[in-house]
Short mmCIF file of all heavy atoms in Angstrom, two decimals:
data_model
loop_
_atom_site.label_atom_id
_atom_site.label_comp_id
_atom_site.label_asym_id
_atom_site.label_seq_id
_atom_site.Cartn_x
_atom_site.Cartn_y
_atom_site.Cartn_z
N GLN A 204 -4.19 -5.48 -12.31
CA GLN A 204 -3.39 -5.14 -11.12
C GLN A 204 -3.90 -5.86 -9.88
O GLN A 204 -3.11 -6.34 -9.06
CB GLN A 204 -3.41 -3.63 -10.90
CG GLN A 204 -2.76 -2.82 -12.00
CD GLN A 204 -1.25 -2.99 -12.01
OE1 GLN A 204 -0.71 -4.02 -12.40
NE2 GLN A 204 -0.55 -1.97 -11.55
N SER A 205 -5.20 -5.94 -9.73
CA SER A 205 -5.75 -6.65 -8.57
C SER A 205 -5.34 -8.12 -8.61
O SER A 205 -4.99 -8.71 -7.58
CB SER A 205 -7.27 -6.53 -8.55
OG SER A 205 -7.67 -5.18 -8.37
N ALA A 206 -5.39 -8.73 -9.79
CA ALA A 206 -4.97 -10.12 -9.92
C ALA A 206 -3.50 -10.30 -9.56
O ALA A 206 -3.11 -11.32 -8.99
CB ALA A 206 -5.23 -10.62 -11.35
N SER A 207 -2.68 -9.31 -9.88
CA SER A 207 -1.25 -9.40 -9.58
C SER A 207 -0.96 -9.31 -8.09
O SER A 207 -0.08 -10.00 -7.57
CB SER A 207 -0.50 -8.29 -10.32
OG SER A 207 -0.59 -8.45 -11.72
N TYR A 208 -1.70 -8.44 -7.39
CA TYR A 208 -1.36 -8.15 -6.00
C TYR A 208 -2.22 -8.90 -4.98
O TYR A 208 -1.87 -8.93 -3.80
CB TYR A 208 -1.46 -6.64 -5.75
CG TYR A 208 -0.40 -5.87 -6.48
CD1 TYR A 208 -0.72 -5.10 -7.61
CD2 TYR A 208 0.93 -5.93 -6.09
CE1 TYR A 208 0.26 -4.41 -8.30
CE2 TYR A 208 1.91 -5.24 -6.78
CZ TYR A 208 1.57 -4.48 -7.88
OH TYR A 208 2.54 -3.81 -8.56
N PHE A 209 -3.30 -9.51 -5.41
CA PHE A 209 -4.17 -10.20 -4.46
C PHE A 209 -3.45 -11.33 -3.72
O PHE A 209 -3.70 -11.54 -2.52
CB PHE A 209 -5.42 -10.73 -5.15
CG PHE A 209 -6.48 -11.17 -4.20
CD1 PHE A 209 -7.28 -10.23 -3.54
CD2 PHE A 209 -6.68 -12.51 -3.91
CE1 PHE A 209 -8.25 -10.63 -2.65
CE2 PHE A 209 -7.65 -12.92 -3.01
CZ PHE A 209 -8.44 -11.96 -2.38
N PRO A 210 -2.54 -12.10 -4.36
CA PRO A 210 -1.84 -13.16 -3.61
C PRO A 210 -1.01 -12.66 -2.44
O PRO A 210 -0.65 -13.43 -1.56
CB PRO A 210 -0.94 -13.80 -4.68
CG PRO A 210 -1.64 -13.53 -5.98
CD PRO A 210 -2.24 -12.18 -5.81
N LEU A 211 -0.68 -11.37 -2.42
CA LEU A 211 0.09 -10.82 -1.31
C LEU A 211 -0.73 -10.69 -0.03
O LEU A 211 -0.16 -10.64 1.07
CB LEU A 211 0.66 -9.46 -1.68
CG LEU A 211 1.68 -9.42 -2.83
CD1 LEU A 211 2.08 -7.98 -3.11
CD2 LEU A 211 2.90 -10.26 -2.50
N ILE A 212 -2.05 -10.64 -0.16
CA ILE A 212 -2.89 -10.41 1.01
C ILE A 212 -2.78 -11.54 2.03
O ILE A 212 -2.57 -11.28 3.23
CB ILE A 212 -4.36 -10.17 0.58
CG1 ILE A 212 -4.47 -8.90 -0.28
CG2 ILE A 212 -5.26 -10.06 1.81
CD1 ILE A 212 -5.86 -8.62 -0.80
N PRO A 213 -2.91 -12.81 1.63
CA PRO A 213 -2.74 -13.88 2.64
C PRO A 213 -1.35 -13.90 3.28
O PRO A 213 -1.22 -14.21 4.46
CB PRO A 213 -3.01 -15.16 1.85
CG PRO A 213 -3.81 -14.74 0.66
CD PRO A 213 -3.31 -13.37 0.33
N TRP A 214 -0.31 -13.58 2.49
CA TRP A 214 1.03 -13.51 3.07
C TRP A 214 1.09 -12.45 4.16
O TRP A 214 1.64 -12.69 5.26
CB TRP A 214 2.06 -13.19 2.00
CG TRP A 214 2.38 -14.28 1.03
CD1 TRP A 214 2.29 -14.23 -0.32
CD2 TRP A 214 2.87 -15.60 1.34
NE1 TRP A 214 2.67 -15.43 -0.89
CE2 TRP A 214 3.04 -16.29 0.10
CE3 TRP A 214 3.16 -16.28 2.52
CZ2 TRP A 214 3.49 -17.60 0.03
CZ3 TRP A 214 3.62 -17.60 2.45
CH2 TRP A 214 3.78 -18.24 1.21
N ALA A 215 0.53 -11.28 3.88
CA ALA A 215 0.54 -10.20 4.86
C ALA A 215 -0.26 -10.58 6.10
O ALA A 215 0.14 -10.28 7.24
CB ALA A 215 -0.04 -8.93 4.24
N ALA A 216 -1.40 -11.26 5.90
CA ALA A 216 -2.22 -11.69 7.04
C ALA A 216 -1.48 -12.71 7.90
O ALA A 216 -1.54 -12.66 9.14
CB ALA A 216 -3.54 -12.26 6.53
N ALA A 217 -0.77 -13.64 7.25
CA ALA A 217 -0.01 -14.64 8.01
C ALA A 217 1.07 -13.98 8.86
O ALA A 217 1.26 -14.33 10.03
CB ALA A 217 0.61 -15.65 7.05
N VAL A 218 1.78 -13.02 8.29
CA VAL A 218 2.80 -12.30 9.05
C VAL A 218 2.16 -11.48 10.17
O VAL A 218 2.71 -11.39 11.27
CB VAL A 218 3.63 -11.40 8.12
CG1 VAL A 218 4.64 -10.56 8.92
CG2 VAL A 218 4.37 -12.23 7.08
N GLY A 219 0.99 -10.92 9.89
CA GLY A 219 0.29 -10.16 10.92
C GLY A 219 -0.09 -11.02 12.11
O GLY A 219 0.02 -10.60 13.27
N LEU A 220 -0.53 -12.25 11.86
CA LEU A 220 -0.88 -13.15 12.96
C LEU A 220 0.36 -13.62 13.72
O LEU A 220 0.28 -13.92 14.91
CB LEU A 220 -1.64 -14.36 12.42
CG LEU A 220 -3.05 -14.10 11.86
CD1 LEU A 220 -3.65 -15.39 11.32
CD2 LEU A 220 -3.96 -13.50 12.93
N ALA A 221 1.49 -13.67 13.03
CA ALA A 221 2.74 -14.15 13.65
C ALA A 221 3.62 -13.01 14.14
O ALA A 221 4.78 -13.24 14.49
CB ALA A 221 3.51 -15.00 12.65
N ARG A 222 3.10 -11.80 14.20
CA ARG A 222 3.93 -10.63 14.46
C ARG A 222 4.64 -10.69 15.81
O ARG A 222 5.79 -10.24 15.94
CB ARG A 222 3.10 -9.35 14.35
CG ARG A 222 2.03 -9.21 15.41
CD ARG A 222 1.05 -8.10 15.05
NE ARG A 222 0.07 -7.91 16.10
CZ ARG A 222 -0.98 -8.68 16.28
NH1 ARG A 222 -1.19 -9.71 15.47
NH2 ARG A 222 -1.84 -8.44 17.26
N HIS A 223 4.00 -11.25 16.85
CA HIS A 223 4.65 -11.31 18.16
C HIS A 223 5.86 -12.23 18.14
O HIS A 223 6.91 -11.91 18.70
CB HIS A 223 3.65 -11.79 19.21
CG HIS A 223 2.46 -10.91 19.38
ND1 HIS A 223 2.52 -9.54 19.21
CD2 HIS A 223 1.16 -11.19 19.69
CE1 HIS A 223 1.33 -9.01 19.41
NE2 HIS A 223 0.48 -10.00 19.70
N ARG A 224 5.73 -13.37 17.46
CA ARG A 224 6.87 -14.28 17.33
C ARG A 224 7.99 -13.63 16.53
O ARG A 224 9.18 -13.80 16.83
CB ARG A 224 6.42 -15.58 16.64
CG ARG A 224 5.36 -16.36 17.41
CD ARG A 224 4.92 -17.58 16.61
NE ARG A 224 3.79 -18.24 17.22
CZ ARG A 224 3.88 -19.19 18.15
NH1 ARG A 224 5.08 -19.58 18.57
NH2 ARG A 224 2.81 -19.76 18.65
N ILE A 225 7.61 -12.90 15.49
CA ILE A 225 8.61 -12.26 14.63
C ILE A 225 9.37 -11.18 15.40
O ILE A 225 10.60 -11.08 15.30
CB ILE A 225 7.93 -11.67 13.38
CG1 ILE A 225 7.40 -12.81 12.50
CG2 ILE A 225 8.90 -10.81 12.59
CD1 ILE A 225 6.53 -12.35 11.35
N VAL A 226 8.64 -10.37 16.17
CA VAL A 226 9.30 -9.33 16.96
C VAL A 226 10.28 -9.94 17.95
O VAL A 226 11.40 -9.44 18.15
CB VAL A 226 8.25 -8.47 17.70
CG1 VAL A 226 8.92 -7.58 18.74
CG2 VAL A 226 7.48 -7.61 16.71
N SER A 227 9.90 -11.06 18.56
CA SER A 227 10.81 -11.71 19.51
C SER A 227 12.04 -12.28 18.81
O SER A 227 13.14 -12.26 19.35
CB SER A 227 10.07 -12.82 20.27
OG SER A 227 9.67 -13.86 19.39
N LEU A 228 11.87 -12.76 17.58
CA LEU A 228 13.02 -13.28 16.82
C LEU A 228 14.00 -12.17 16.48
O LEU A 228 15.22 -12.39 16.42
CB LEU A 228 12.54 -13.97 15.54
CG LEU A 228 11.86 -15.33 15.71
CD1 LEU A 228 11.29 -15.80 14.38
CD2 LEU A 228 12.85 -16.37 16.25
N PHE A 229 13.49 -10.99 16.25
CA PHE A 229 14.36 -9.87 15.89
C PHE A 229 15.20 -9.37 17.06
O PHE A 229 16.06 -8.51 16.88
CB PHE A 229 13.55 -8.72 15.30
CG PHE A 229 13.35 -8.83 13.81
CD1 PHE A 229 12.07 -8.91 13.27
CD2 PHE A 229 14.43 -8.82 12.95
CE1 PHE A 229 11.89 -9.01 11.90
CE2 PHE A 229 14.25 -8.92 11.58
CZ PHE A 229 12.97 -9.01 11.06
#
Side-chain angles (χ1 to χ4, degrees):
Q204 296 289 74
S205 296
S207 295
Y208 292 106
F209 193 77
L211 296 177
I212 297 178
W214 288 124
V218 176
L220 291 178
R222 66 193 184 281
H223 300 327
R224 298 177 188 271
I225 293 171
V226 169
S227 65
L228 287 173
F229 272 120

